C-alpha cells in the first residue's frame, strides 16, 4: 500500500509540473505578443506625430 501511495503522489506531482510548464509557455507567448503590440503602437504614434509636424 505504501508503494501505491508513493506512486500516486508521484503521478500527481508530475501532472502538476506538466500543468506549470504549459502555463509558463502560455505566459511566454502572451508576453511576446504584448511586446509586438507595444512596438506596433509605438510605430503608429511616431508616424502620427510625424504627420502632425
Amino acid at each position: 500500500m505504501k508503494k501505491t501511495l508513493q506512486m500516486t503522489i508521484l503521478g500527481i506531482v508530475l501532472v502538476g509540473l506538466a500543468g506549470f510548464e504549459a502555463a509558463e509557455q502560455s505566459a511566454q507567448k502572451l508576453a511576446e505578443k504584448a511586446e509586438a503590440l507595444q512596438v506596433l503602437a509605438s510605430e503608429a504614434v511616431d508616424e502620427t506625430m510625424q504627420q502632425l509636424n
Side-chain angles (χ1 to χ4, degrees):
M1 176 154 172
K2 186 176 180 183
K3 183 75 169 178
T4 302
L5 181 59
Q6 289 174 340
M7 294 303 289
T8 301
I9 292 172
L10 178 60
I12 292 170
V13 168
L14 290 176
V15 168
L17 288 175
F20 286 128
E21 178 69 23
E24 182 181 5
Q25 288 176 357
S26 293
Q28 180 65 35
K29 287 179 184 178
L30 182 60
E32 290 170 359
K33 288 180 181 180
E35 186 177 341
L37 287 173
Q38 182 180 11
V39 169
L40 288 174
S42 178
E43 290 172 355
V45 168
D46 288 344
E47 184 178 324
T48 302
M49 293 299 293
Q50 287 176 358
Q51 290 176 357
L52 290 174
N53 290 330

